[in-house]
Amino acid sequence: MRIPPDAWLLLHVGAYFGVTLLWQGVNFWLAALLSAAAMAVIGGLIERFLLRRLAGEQLPQVLLDAGFASSSATLPML
């Protein structure tokens, strides 16, 4: 796949995580660094344990990413 659909998922979850840290009173730059580090770890785990199993199969990769995206849309509601 040329553009990983995970990128949009991680962008939204990272922004939510960063804003949550800001609301907790964390410095802006520290919140930006922590949210970027957290999204790198989450993205690495998704790629390592889930997407590698589906290497070369585009439709299952897209469906898996769509599932992550739809489940992350409910994250702020929890």
Side-chain angles (χ1 to χ4, degrees):
M1 295 172 37
R2 294 177 192 225
I3 299 173
D6 284 357
W8 292 110
L9 163 73
L10 294 176
L11 176 70
H12 293 141
V13 174
Y16 174 74
F17 186 67
V19 168
T20 302
L21 286 174
L22 285 175
W23 284 343
Q24 298 298 323
V26 176
N27 181 8
F28 174 80
W29 294 109
L30 182 60
L33 288 173
L34 288 175
S35 63
M39 294 310 101
V41 169
I42 291 173
L45 291 173
I46 290 172
E47 195 275 330
R48 171 69 176 98
F49 293 108
L50 297 174
L51 289 176
R52 277 196 188 171
R53 294 178 186 207
L54 302 173
E57 301 178 39
Q58 284 188 338
L59 182 59
Q61 284 182 350
V62 170
L63 291 174
L64 179 70
D65 288 336
F68 278 126
S70 65
S71 64
S72 71
T74 60
L75 180 67
M77 294 181 220
L78 294 178

PDB file of all heavy atoms in Angstrom, residues 16-56:
ATOM      1  N   TYR A  16      -5.649  13.673  20.089  1.00  0.00           N
ATOM      2  CA  TYR A  16      -6.476  13.522  21.290  1.00  0.00           C
ATOM      3  C   TYR A  16      -5.600  13.350  22.529  1.00  0.00           C
ATOM      4  O   TYR A  16      -5.839  13.966  23.566  1.00  0.00           O
ATOM      5  CB  TYR A  16      -7.416  12.327  21.132  1.00  0.00           C
ATOM      6  CG  TYR A  16      -8.203  12.021  22.364  1.00  0.00           C
ATOM      7  CD1 TYR A  16      -9.272  12.824  22.748  1.00  0.00           C
ATOM      8  CD2 TYR A  16      -7.877  10.944  23.170  1.00  0.00           C
ATOM      9  CE1 TYR A  16      -9.990  12.570  23.895  1.00  0.00           C
ATOM     10  CE2 TYR A  16      -8.586  10.675  24.317  1.00  0.00           C
ATOM     11  CZ  TYR A  16      -9.647  11.485  24.672  1.00  0.00           C
ATOM     12  OH  TYR A  16     -10.354  11.209  25.801  1.00  0.00           O
ATOM     13  N   PHE A  17      -4.571  12.533  22.409  1.00  0.00           N
ATOM     14  CA  PHE A  17      -3.656  12.301  23.522  1.00  0.00           C
ATOM     15  C   PHE A  17      -2.926  13.592  23.901  1.00  0.00           C
ATOM     16  O   PHE A  17      -2.792  13.915  25.082  1.00  0.00           O
ATOM     17  CB  PHE A  17      -2.670  11.206  23.135  1.00  0.00           C
ATOM     18  CG  PHE A  17      -1.754  10.779  24.247  1.00  0.00           C
ATOM     19  CD1 PHE A  17      -2.245  10.135  25.355  1.00  0.00           C
ATOM     20  CD2 PHE A  17      -0.400  11.023  24.171  1.00  0.00           C
ATOM     21  CE1 PHE A  17      -1.414   9.745  26.383  1.00  0.00           C
ATOM     22  CE2 PHE A  17       0.444  10.634  25.182  1.00  0.00           C
ATOM     23  CZ  PHE A  17      -0.060   9.996  26.295  1.00  0.00           C
ATOM     24  N   GLY A  18      -2.478  14.342  22.905  1.00  0.00           N
ATOM     25  CA  GLY A  18      -1.778  15.599  23.174  1.00  0.00           C
ATOM     26  C   GLY A  18      -2.659  16.630  23.844  1.00  0.00           C
ATOM     27  O   GLY A  18      -2.241  17.302  24.796  1.00  0.00           O
ATOM     28  N   VAL A  19      -3.898  16.763  23.374  1.00  0.00           N
ATOM     29  CA  VAL A  19      -4.817  17.727  23.970  1.00  0.00           C
ATOM     30  C   VAL A  19      -5.168  17.313  25.396  1.00  0.00           C
ATOM     31  O   VAL A  19      -5.279  18.150  26.291  1.00  0.00           O
ATOM     32  CB  VAL A  19      -6.082  17.876  23.095  1.00  0.00           C
ATOM     33  CG1 VAL A  19      -7.180  18.632  23.812  1.00  0.00           C
ATOM     34  CG2 VAL A  19      -5.733  18.573  21.797  1.00  0.00           C
ATOM     35  N   THR A  20      -5.317  16.011  25.612  1.00  0.00           N
ATOM     36  CA  THR A  20      -5.591  15.527  26.965  1.00  0.00           C
ATOM     37  C   THR A  20      -4.439  15.871  27.906  1.00  0.00           C
ATOM     38  O   THR A  20      -4.664  16.287  29.050  1.00  0.00           O
ATOM     39  CB  THR A  20      -5.831  14.006  26.953  1.00  0.00           C
ATOM     40  OG1 THR A  20      -6.920  13.715  26.075  1.00  0.00           O
ATOM     41  CG2 THR A  20      -6.161  13.494  28.333  1.00  0.00           C
ATOM     42  N   LEU A  21      -3.218  15.719  27.430  1.00  0.00           N
ATOM     43  CA  LEU A  21      -2.065  16.094  28.252  1.00  0.00           C
ATOM     44  C   LEU A  21      -2.050  17.595  28.538  1.00  0.00           C
ATOM     45  O   LEU A  21      -1.717  18.021  29.644  1.00  0.00           O
ATOM     46  CB  LEU A  21      -0.765  15.669  27.571  1.00  0.00           C
ATOM     47  CG  LEU A  21      -0.456  14.178  27.588  1.00  0.00           C
ATOM     48  CD1 LEU A  21       0.787  13.887  26.760  1.00  0.00           C
ATOM     49  CD2 LEU A  21      -0.292  13.675  28.996  1.00  0.00           C
ATOM     50  N   LEU A  22      -2.409  18.386  27.527  1.00  0.00           N
ATOM     51  CA  LEU A  22      -2.461  19.838  27.742  1.00  0.00           C
ATOM     52  C   LEU A  22      -3.503  20.206  28.785  1.00  0.00           C
ATOM     53  O   LEU A  22      -3.284  21.090  29.610  1.00  0.00           O
ATOM     54  CB  LEU A  22      -2.748  20.559  26.423  1.00  0.00           C
ATOM     55  CG  LEU A  22      -1.590  20.636  25.440  1.00  0.00           C
ATOM     56  CD1 LEU A  22      -2.058  21.264  24.131  1.00  0.00           C
ATOM     57  CD2 LEU A  22      -0.438  21.421  26.029  1.00  0.00           C
ATOM     58  N   TRP A  23      -4.656  19.546  28.756  1.00  0.00           N
ATOM     59  CA  TRP A  23      -5.699  19.811  29.754  1.00  0.00           C
ATOM     60  C   TRP A  23      -5.241  19.433  31.157  1.00  0.00           C
ATOM     61  O   TRP A  23      -5.726  19.981  32.131  1.00  0.00           O
ATOM     62  CB  TRP A  23      -6.965  19.053  29.410  1.00  0.00           C
ATOM     63  CG  TRP A  23      -7.751  19.661  28.293  1.00  0.00           C
ATOM     64  CD1 TRP A  23      -7.639  20.924  27.790  1.00  0.00           C
ATOM     65  CD2 TRP A  23      -8.769  19.024  27.542  1.00  0.00           C
ATOM     66  NE1 TRP A  23      -8.519  21.098  26.763  1.00  0.00           N
ATOM     67  CE2 TRP A  23      -9.237  19.953  26.591  1.00  0.00           C
ATOM     68  CE3 TRP A  23      -9.339  17.768  27.561  1.00  0.00           C
ATOM     69  CZ2 TRP A  23     -10.243  19.653  25.697  1.00  0.00           C
ATOM     70  CZ3 TRP A  23     -10.343  17.476  26.665  1.00  0.00           C
ATOM     71  CH2 TRP A  23     -10.786  18.406  25.739  1.00  0.00           C
ATOM     72  N   GLN A  24      -4.317  18.480  31.236  1.00  0.00           N
ATOM     73  CA  GLN A  24      -3.794  18.064  32.535  1.00  0.00           C
ATOM     74  C   GLN A  24      -2.706  19.016  33.049  1.00  0.00           C
ATOM     75  O   GLN A  24      -2.175  18.811  34.127  1.00  0.00           O
ATOM     76  CB  GLN A  24      -3.233  16.642  32.448  1.00  0.00           C
ATOM     77  CG  GLN A  24      -4.251  15.595  32.077  1.00  0.00           C
ATOM     78  CD  GLN A  24      -5.359  15.481  33.109  1.00  0.00           C
ATOM     79  OE1 GLN A  24      -5.118  15.594  34.296  1.00  0.00           O
ATOM     80  NE2 GLN A  24      -6.575  15.273  32.636  1.00  0.00           N
ATOM     81  N   GLY A  25      -2.361  20.027  32.248  1.00  0.00           N
ATOM     82  CA  GLY A  25      -1.397  21.024  32.673  1.00  0.00           C
ATOM     83  C   GLY A  25       0.034  20.751  32.237  1.00  0.00           C
ATOM     84  O   GLY A  25       0.956  21.392  32.719  1.00  0.00           O
ATOM     85  N   VAL A  26       0.232  19.810  31.314  1.00  0.00           N
ATOM     86  CA  VAL A  26       1.579  19.496  30.827  1.00  0.00           C
ATOM     87  C   VAL A  26       2.007  20.577  29.835  1.00  0.00           C
ATOM     88  O   VAL A  26       1.184  21.117  29.090  1.00  0.00           O
ATOM     89  CB  VAL A  26       1.586  18.097  30.159  1.00  0.00           C
ATOM     90  CG1 VAL A  26       2.936  17.772  29.568  1.00  0.00           C
ATOM     91  CG2 VAL A  26       1.172  17.040  31.160  1.00  0.00           C
ATOM     92  N   ASN A  27       3.279  20.917  29.826  1.00  0.00           N
ATOM     93  CA  ASN A  27       3.845  21.882  28.888  1.00  0.00           C
ATOM     94  C   ASN A  27       3.539  21.447  27.444  1.00  0.00           C
ATOM     95  O   ASN A  27       3.532  20.256  27.130  1.00  0.00           O
ATOM     96  CB  ASN A  27       5.361  21.947  29.120  1.00  0.00           C
ATOM     97  CG  ASN A  27       6.042  22.942  28.214  1.00  0.00           C
ATOM     98  OD1 ASN A  27       5.407  23.702  27.507  1.00  0.00           O
ATOM     99  ND2 ASN A  27       7.358  22.925  28.253  1.00  0.00           N
ATOM    100  N   PHE A  28       3.316  22.431  26.566  1.00  0.00           N
ATOM    101  CA  PHE A  28       2.949  22.134  25.181  1.00  0.00           C
ATOM    102  C   PHE A  28       3.980  21.257  24.489  1.00  0.00           C
ATOM    103  O   PHE A  28       3.633  20.267  23.832  1.00  0.00           O
ATOM    104  CB  PHE A  28       2.765  23.438  24.390  1.00  0.00           C
ATOM    105  CG  PHE A  28       2.537  23.205  22.927  1.00  0.00           C
ATOM    106  CD1 PHE A  28       1.298  22.837  22.457  1.00  0.00           C
ATOM    107  CD2 PHE A  28       3.576  23.353  22.012  1.00  0.00           C
ATOM    108  CE1 PHE A  28       1.085  22.607  21.107  1.00  0.00           C
ATOM    109  CE2 PHE A  28       3.381  23.120  20.671  1.00  0.00           C
ATOM    110  CZ  PHE A  28       2.128  22.751  20.213  1.00  0.00           C
ATOM    111  N   TRP A  29       5.253  21.608  24.593  1.00  0.00           N
ATOM    112  CA  TRP A  29       6.286  20.859  23.879  1.00  0.00           C
ATOM    113  C   TRP A  29       6.467  19.463  24.452  1.00  0.00           C
ATOM    114  O   TRP A  29       6.708  18.503  23.720  1.00  0.00           O
ATOM    115  CB  TRP A  29       7.606  21.622  23.879  1.00  0.00           C
ATOM    116  CG  TRP A  29       7.486  22.887  23.088  1.00  0.00           C
ATOM    117  CD1 TRP A  29       7.463  24.160  23.572  1.00  0.00           C
ATOM    118  CD2 TRP A  29       7.308  22.996  21.670  1.00  0.00           C
ATOM    119  NE1 TRP A  29       7.294  25.052  22.546  1.00  0.00           N
ATOM    120  CE2 TRP A  29       7.199  24.362  21.359  1.00  0.00           C
ATOM    121  CE3 TRP A  29       7.226  22.080  20.634  1.00  0.00           C
ATOM    122  CZ2 TRP A  29       7.009  24.830  20.074  1.00  0.00           C
ATOM    123  CZ3 TRP A  29       7.049  22.548  19.340  1.00  0.00           C
ATOM    124  CH2 TRP A  29       6.945  23.904  19.073  1.00  0.00           C
ATOM    125  N   LEU A  30       6.322  19.332  25.730  1.00  0.00           N
ATOM    126  CA  LEU A  30       6.403  18.012  26.345  1.00  0.00           C
ATOM    127  C   LEU A  30       5.212  17.155  25.929  1.00  0.00           C
ATOM    128  O   LEU A  30       5.365  15.966  25.629  1.00  0.00           O
ATOM    129  CB  LEU A  30       6.464  18.136  27.864  1.00  0.00           C
ATOM    130  CG  LEU A  30       6.603  16.833  28.640  1.00  0.00           C
ATOM    131  CD1 LEU A  30       7.880  16.100  28.234  1.00  0.00           C
ATOM    132  CD2 LEU A  30       6.574  17.102  30.122  1.00  0.00           C
ATOM    133  N   ALA A  31       4.029  17.761  25.865  1.00  0.00           N
ATOM    134  CA  ALA A  31       2.837  17.033  25.408  1.00  0.00           C
ATOM    135  C   ALA A  31       3.003  16.595  23.956  1.00  0.00           C
ATOM    136  O   ALA A  31       2.620  15.473  23.592  1.00  0.00           O
ATOM    137  CB  ALA A  31       1.594  17.897  25.559  1.00  0.00           C
ATOM    138  N   ALA A  32       3.587  17.452  23.124  1.00  0.00           N
ATOM    139  CA  ALA A  32       3.810  17.098  21.719  1.00  0.00           C
ATOM    140  C   ALA A  32       4.791  15.937  21.602  1.00  0.00           C
ATOM    141  O   ALA A  32       4.568  15.001  20.824  1.00  0.00           O
ATOM    142  CB  ALA A  32       4.321  18.310  20.944  1.00  0.00           C
ATOM    143  N   LEU A  33       5.860  15.987  22.371  1.00  0.00           N
ATOM    144  CA  LEU A  33       6.846  14.901  22.336  1.00  0.00           C
ATOM    145  C   LEU A  33       6.279  13.594  22.880  1.00  0.00           C
ATOM    146  O   LEU A  33       6.496  12.521  22.298  1.00  0.00           O
ATOM    147  CB  LEU A  33       8.093  15.296  23.121  1.00  0.00           C
ATOM    148  CG  LEU A  33       8.976  16.352  22.468  1.00  0.00           C
ATOM    149  CD1 LEU A  33      10.085  16.765  23.430  1.00  0.00           C
ATOM    150  CD2 LEU A  33       9.555  15.838  21.175  1.00  0.00           C
ATOM    151  N   LEU A  34       5.536  13.665  23.978  1.00  0.00           N
ATOM    152  CA  LEU A  34       4.958  12.450  24.551  1.00  0.00           C
ATOM    153  C   LEU A  34       3.907  11.823  23.640  1.00  0.00           C
ATOM    154  O   LEU A  34       3.855  10.600  23.494  1.00  0.00           O
ATOM    155  CB  LEU A  34       4.346  12.759  25.923  1.00  0.00           C
ATOM    156  CG  LEU A  34       5.325  13.024  27.051  1.00  0.00           C
ATOM    157  CD1 LEU A  34       4.582  13.437  28.306  1.00  0.00           C
ATOM    158  CD2 LEU A  34       6.186  11.809  27.299  1.00  0.00           C
ATOM    159  N   SER A  35       3.079  12.653  23.013  1.00  0.00           N
ATOM    160  CA  SER A  35       2.061  12.096  22.126  1.00  0.00           C
ATOM    161  C   SER A  35       2.698  11.511  20.862  1.00  0.00           C
ATOM    162  O   SER A  35       2.267  10.465  20.386  1.00  0.00           O
ATOM    163  CB  SER A  35       1.006  13.141  21.771  1.00  0.00           C
ATOM    164  OG  SER A  35       1.569  14.210  21.052  1.00  0.00           O
ATOM    165  N   ALA A  36       3.752  12.141  20.351  1.00  0.00           N
ATOM    166  CA  ALA A  36       4.443  11.583  19.185  1.00  0.00           C
ATOM    167  C   ALA A  36       5.118  10.258  19.530  1.00  0.00           C
ATOM    168  O   ALA A  36       5.054   9.293  18.752  1.00  0.00           O
ATOM    169  CB  ALA A  36       5.477  12.575  18.664  1.00  0.00           C
ATOM    170  N   ALA A  37       5.726  10.193  20.711  1.00  0.00           N
ATOM    171  CA  ALA A  37       6.364   8.946  21.134  1.00  0.00           C
ATOM    172  C   ALA A  37       5.332   7.843  21.347  1.00  0.00           C
ATOM    173  O   ALA A  37       5.547   6.683  20.952  1.00  0.00           O
ATOM    174  CB  ALA A  37       7.164   9.178  22.408  1.00  0.00           C
ATOM    175  N   ALA A  38       4.200   8.188  21.938  1.00  0.00           N
ATOM    176  CA  ALA A  38       3.155   7.189  22.159  1.00  0.00           C
ATOM    177  C   ALA A  38       2.603   6.672  20.834  1.00  0.00           C
ATOM    178  O   ALA A  38       2.362   5.462  20.673  1.00  0.00           O
ATOM    179  CB  ALA A  38       2.035   7.791  23.003  1.00  0.00           C
ATOM    180  N   MET A  39       2.420   7.551  19.865  1.00  0.00           N
ATOM    181  CA  MET A  39       1.885   7.114  18.576  1.00  0.00           C
ATOM    182  C   MET A  39       2.908   6.284  17.806  1.00  0.00           C
ATOM    183  O   MET A  39       2.546   5.363  17.079  1.00  0.00           O
ATOM    184  CB  MET A  39       1.441   8.314  17.738  1.00  0.00           C
ATOM    185  CG  MET A  39       0.254   9.052  18.328  1.00  0.00           C
ATOM    186  SD  MET A  39      -1.117   7.994  18.780  1.00  0.00           S
ATOM    187  CE  MET A  39      -0.910   7.857  20.543  1.00  0.00           C
ATOM    188  N   ALA A  40       4.188   6.588  17.988  1.00  0.00           N
ATOM    189  CA  ALA A  40       5.227   5.766  17.350  1.00  0.00           C
ATOM    190  C   ALA A  40       5.204   4.352  17.913  1.00  0.00           C
ATOM    191  O   ALA A  40       5.318   3.374  17.166  1.00  0.00           O
ATOM    192  CB  ALA A  40       6.596   6.406  17.548  1.00  0.00           C
ATOM    193  N   VAL A  41       5.036   4.241  19.211  1.00  0.00           N
ATOM    194  CA  VAL A  41       4.975   2.913  19.838  1.00  0.00           C
ATOM    195  C   VAL A  41       3.726   2.163  19.389  1.00  0.00           C
ATOM    196  O   VAL A  41       3.792   0.986  19.005  1.00  0.00           O
ATOM    197  CB  VAL A  41       5.020   3.044  21.375  1.00  0.00           C
ATOM    198  CG1 VAL A  41       4.685   1.731  22.054  1.00  0.00           C
ATOM    199  CG2 VAL A  41       6.378   3.544  21.819  1.00  0.00           C
ATOM    200  N   ILE A  42       2.579   2.831  19.412  1.00  0.00           N
ATOM    201  CA  ILE A  42       1.335   2.178  18.992  1.00  0.00           C
ATOM    202  C   ILE A  42       1.403   1.780  17.526  1.00  0.00           C
ATOM    203  O   ILE A  42       1.011   0.674  17.150  1.00  0.00           O
ATOM    204  CB  ILE A  42       0.128   3.095  19.268  1.00  0.00           C
ATOM    205  CG1 ILE A  42      -0.088   3.211  20.776  1.00  0.00           C
ATOM    206  CG2 ILE A  42      -1.126   2.563  18.601  1.00  0.00           C
ATOM    207  CD1 ILE A  42      -1.137   4.225  21.171  1.00  0.00           C
ATOM    208  N   GLY A  43       1.903   2.670  16.674  1.00  0.00           N
ATOM    209  CA  GLY A  43       2.034   2.349  15.255  1.00  0.00           C
ATOM    210  C   GLY A  43       2.979   1.185  15.010  1.00  0.00           C
ATOM    211  O   GLY A  43       2.717   0.321  14.175  1.00  0.00           O
ATOM    212  N   GLY A  44       4.082   1.153  15.748  1.00  0.00           N
ATOM    213  CA  GLY A  44       5.018   0.042  15.620  1.00  0.00           C
ATOM    214  C   GLY A  44       4.403  -1.275  16.048  1.00  0.00           C
ATOM    215  O   GLY A  44       4.619  -2.314  15.416  1.00  0.00           O
ATOM    216  N   LEU A  45       3.626  -1.244  17.122  1.00  0.00           N
ATOM    217  CA  LEU A  45       2.975  -2.466  17.586  1.00  0.00           C
ATOM    218  C   LEU A  45       1.925  -2.964  16.597  1.00  0.00           C
ATOM    219  O   LEU A  45       1.831  -4.166  16.335  1.00  0.00           O
ATOM    220  CB  LEU A  45       2.340  -2.234  18.954  1.00  0.00           C
ATOM    221  CG  LEU A  45       3.305  -2.042  20.116  1.00  0.00           C
ATOM    222  CD1 LEU A  45       2.547  -1.660  21.385  1.00  0.00           C
ATOM    223  CD2 LEU A  45       4.129  -3.305  20.339  1.00  0.00           C
ATOM    224  N   ILE A  46       1.141  -2.035  16.047  1.00  0.00           N
ATOM    225  CA  ILE A  46       0.135  -2.426  15.044  1.00  0.00           C
ATOM    226  C   ILE A  46       0.812  -3.026  13.825  1.00  0.00           C
ATOM    227  O   ILE A  46       0.390  -4.072  13.307  1.00  0.00           O
ATOM    228  CB  ILE A  46      -0.735  -1.212  14.645  1.00  0.00           C
ATOM    229  CG1 ILE A  46      -1.651  -0.818  15.803  1.00  0.00           C
ATOM    230  CG2 ILE A  46      -1.560  -1.519  13.401  1.00  0.00           C
ATOM    231  CD1 ILE A  46      -2.402   0.474  15.557  1.00  0.00           C
ATOM    232  N   GLU A  47       1.872  -2.380  13.366  1.00  0.00           N
ATOM    233  CA  GLU A  47       2.566  -2.881  12.177  1.00  0.00           C
ATOM    234  C   GLU A  47       3.231  -4.221  12.460  1.00  0.00           C
ATOM    235  O   GLU A  47       3.136  -5.152  11.664  1.00  0.00           O
ATOM    236  CB  GLU A  47       3.606  -1.857  11.727  1.00  0.00           C
ATOM    237  CG  GLU A  47       4.144  -2.085  10.330  1.00  0.00           C
ATOM    238  CD  GLU A  47       5.290  -3.065  10.285  1.00  0.00           C
ATOM    239  OE1 GLU A  47       6.036  -3.162  11.273  1.00  0.00           O
ATOM    240  OE2 GLU A  47       5.432  -3.759   9.263  1.00  0.00           O
ATOM    241  N   ARG A  48       3.878  -4.343  13.582  1.00  0.00           N
ATOM    242  CA  ARG A  48       4.643  -5.556  13.898  1.00  0.00           C
ATOM    243  C   ARG A  48       3.754  -6.770  14.122  1.00  0.00           C
ATOM    244  O   ARG A  48       4.012  -7.850  13.619  1.00  0.00           O
ATOM    245  CB  ARG A  48       5.508  -5.305  15.136  1.00  0.00           C
ATOM    246  CG  ARG A  48       6.193  -6.514  15.707  1.00  0.00           C
ATOM    247  CD  ARG A  48       7.283  -7.019  14.759  1.00  0.00           C
ATOM    248  NE  ARG A  48       8.013  -8.115  15.347  1.00  0.00           N
ATOM    249  CZ  ARG A  48       7.773  -9.406  15.078  1.00  0.00           C
ATOM    250  NH1 ARG A  48       6.825  -9.731  14.245  1.00  0.00           N
ATOM    251  NH2 ARG A  48       8.487 -10.343  15.641  1.00  0.00           N
ATOM    252  N   PHE A  49       2.687  -6.598  14.890  1.00  0.00           N
ATOM    253  CA  PHE A  49       1.900  -7.755  15.291  1.00  0.00           C
ATOM    254  C   PHE A  49       0.658  -8.003  14.449  1.00  0.00           C
ATOM    255  O   PHE A  49       0.120  -9.108  14.469  1.00  0.00           O
ATOM    256  CB  PHE A  49       1.509  -7.646  16.758  1.00  0.00           C
ATOM    257  CG  PHE A  49       2.687  -7.748  17.680  1.00  0.00           C
ATOM    258  CD1 PHE A  49       3.145  -6.641  18.349  1.00  0.00           C
ATOM    259  CD2 PHE A  49       3.341  -8.952  17.832  1.00  0.00           C
ATOM    260  CE1 PHE A  49       4.250  -6.732  19.192  1.00  0.00           C
ATOM    261  CE2 PHE A  49       4.448  -9.057  18.661  1.00  0.00           C
ATOM    262  CZ  PHE A  49       4.900  -7.945  19.352  1.00  0.00           C
ATOM    263  N   LEU A  50       0.175  -7.010  13.707  1.00  0.00           N
ATOM    264  CA  LEU A  50      -1.053  -7.218  12.941  1.00  0.00           C
ATOM    265  C   LEU A  50      -0.855  -7.084  11.434  1.00  0.00           C
ATOM    266  O   LEU A  50      -1.253  -7.959  10.675  1.00  0.00           O
ATOM    267  CB  LEU A  50      -2.132  -6.244  13.422  1.00  0.00           C
ATOM    268  CG  LEU A  50      -2.559  -6.432  14.877  1.00  0.00           C
ATOM    269  CD1 LEU A  50      -3.521  -5.334  15.284  1.00  0.00           C
ATOM    270  CD2 LEU A  50      -3.174  -7.792  15.077  1.00  0.00           C
ATOM    271  N   LEU A  51      -0.250  -5.983  10.994  1.00  0.00           N
ATOM    272  CA  LEU A  51      -0.155  -5.749   9.558  1.00  0.00           C
ATOM    273  C   LEU A  51       0.863  -6.653   8.869  1.00  0.00           C
ATOM    274  O   LEU A  51       0.695  -6.981   7.698  1.00  0.00           O
ATOM    275  CB  LEU A  51       0.160  -4.286   9.275  1.00  0.00           C
ATOM    276  CG  LEU A  51      -0.992  -3.319   9.562  1.00  0.00           C
ATOM    277  CD1 LEU A  51      -0.555  -1.898   9.350  1.00  0.00           C
ATOM    278  CD2 LEU A  51      -2.189  -3.646   8.710  1.00  0.00           C
ATOM    279  N   ARG A  52       1.914  -7.056   9.560  1.00  0.00           N
ATOM    280  CA  ARG A  52       2.896  -7.949   8.927  1.00  0.00           C
ATOM    281  C   ARG A  52       2.295  -9.296   8.584  1.00  0.00           C
ATOM    282  O   ARG A  52       2.719  -9.947   7.646  1.00  0.00           O
ATOM    283  CB  ARG A  52       4.096  -8.155   9.834  1.00  0.00           C
ATOM    284  CG  ARG A  52       5.093  -7.057   9.716  1.00  0.00           C
ATOM    285  CD  ARG A  52       6.401  -7.463  10.314  1.00  0.00           C
ATOM    286  NE  ARG A  52       7.280  -6.307  10.360  1.00  0.00           N
ATOM    287  CZ  ARG A  52       8.422  -6.296  10.985  1.00  0.00           C
ATOM    288  NH1 ARG A  52       8.838  -7.367  11.619  1.00  0.00           N
ATOM    289  NH2 ARG A  52       9.161  -5.214  10.985  1.00  0.00           N
ATOM    290  N   ARG A  53       1.324  -9.726   9.343  1.00  0.00           N
ATOM    291  CA  ARG A  53       0.663 -11.002   9.055  1.00  0.00           C
ATOM    292  C   ARG A  53      -0.135 -10.937   7.759  1.00  0.00           C
ATOM    293  O   ARG A  53      -0.429 -11.954   7.163  1.00  0.00           O
ATOM    294  CB  ARG A  53      -0.268 -11.379  10.192  1.00  0.00           C
ATOM    295  CG  ARG A  53       0.458 -11.663  11.462  1.00  0.00           C
ATOM    296  CD  ARG A  53      -0.492 -11.985  12.561  1.00  0.00           C
ATOM    297  NE  ARG A  53       0.238 -12.113  13.815  1.00  0.00           N
ATOM    298  CZ  ARG A  53      -0.162 -12.840  14.817  1.00  0.00           C
ATOM    299  NH1 ARG A  53      -1.289 -13.502  14.729  1.00  0.00           N
ATOM    300  NH2 ARG A  53       0.557 -12.901  15.905  1.00  0.00           N
ATOM    301  N   LEU A  54      -0.493  -9.734   7.365  1.00  0.00           N
ATOM    302  CA  LEU A  54      -1.297  -9.540   6.160  1.00  0.00           C
ATOM    303  C   LEU A  54      -0.475  -8.966   5.009  1.00  0.00           C
ATOM    304  O   LEU A  54      -1.022  -8.323   4.119  1.00  0.00           O
ATOM    305  CB  LEU A  54      -2.463  -8.604   6.476  1.00  0.00           C
ATOM    306  CG  LEU A  54      -3.397  -9.056   7.599  1.00  0.00           C
ATOM    307  CD1 LEU A  54      -4.394  -7.969   7.905  1.00  0.00           C
ATOM    308  CD2 LEU A  54      -4.088 -10.350   7.239  1.00  0.00           C
ATOM    309  N   ALA A  55       0.813  -9.191   5.014  1.00  0.00           N
ATOM    310  CA  ALA A  55       1.691  -8.629   3.982  1.00  0.00           C
ATOM    311  C   ALA A  55       1.269  -9.110   2.598  1.00  0.00           C
ATOM    312  O   ALA A  55       1.026 -10.287   2.374  1.00  0.00           O
ATOM    313  CB  ALA A  55       3.133  -9.033   4.245  1.00  0.00           C
ATOM    314  N   GLY A  56       1.147  -8.175   1.687  1.00  0.00           N
ATOM    315  CA  GLY A  56       0.783  -8.491   0.314  1.00  0.00           C
ATOM    316  C   GLY A  56      -0.712  -8.609   0.079  1.00  0.00           C
ATOM    317  O   GLY A  56      -1.144  -8.768  -1.055  1.00  0.00           O
TER     318      GLY A  56
END
